[in-house]
């Protein structure tokens, strides 16, 4: 058996990422009311990071075709809270992992 990794074509990866992005936004729609749930804020940040990376990698049309909410920047007072830091970490990881799976820089 070969140890080679079989990579999916970018369009198939994108076809899997977009429903994940929609689900993350749907599952975190009320994240601002859930300050006691850092995981929810991380997940929302992950979705925001995915979205930014997809846009930067040239998939803006695919994003525009989806019913996604507006990205809501964090207020300076939110950024220093545990949930704000969880969101920032999610943005970082979501963006990095999206670029990784799509082969972008």
């Amino acid at each position: 058996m070969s140890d080679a990794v079989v990579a999916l074509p970018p369009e198939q990866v994108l076809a899997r990422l977009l429903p994940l992005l929609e689900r993350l936004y749907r599952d975190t729609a009320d994240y601002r009311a859930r300050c006691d749930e850092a995981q929810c804020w991380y997940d929302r940040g992950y979705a925001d990071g995915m979205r930014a990376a997809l846009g930067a990698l040239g998939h803006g049309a695919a994003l525009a075709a989806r019913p996604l909410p507006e990205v809501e920047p964090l207020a300076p007072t939110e950024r220093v809270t545990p949930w704000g830091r969880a969101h920032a970490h999610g943005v970082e990881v979501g963006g990095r992992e999206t670029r990784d799976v799509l082969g972008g820089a």
Side-chain angles (χ1 to χ4, degrees):
M1 178 172 243
S2 171
D3 288 336
V5 175
V6 177
L8 293 173
E11 54 278 351
Q12 286 184 13
V13 175
L14 183 63
R16 291 181 181 196
L17 289 178
L18 291 171
L20 171 62
L21 181 62
E22 287 180 312
R23 190 186 89 220
L24 284 169
Y25 276 125
R26 186 175 53 251
D27 292 351
T28 62
D30 63 343
Y31 76 104
R32 289 206 183 261
R34 296 165 61 184
C35 294
D36 58 332
E37 295 181 44
Q39 183 65 50
C40 180
W41 282 71
Y42 173 87
D43 292 347
R44 183 57 165 235
Y46 194 97
D48 290 345
M50 285 179 66
R51 185 182 196 159
L54 288 168
L57 292 170
H59 300 291
L63 291 171
R66 300 283 175 155
L68 301 175
E70 294 295 320
V71 173
E72 301 173 11
L74 299 186
T77 55
E78 289 176 311
R79 291 185 204 134
V80 298
T81 63
W83 53 90
R85 290 191 307 270
H87 181 274
H89 184 61
V91 169
E92 176 187 330
V93 175
R96 182 181 64 238
E97 290 183 353
T98 299
R99 288 186 300 275
D100 287 349
V101 299
L102 285 172

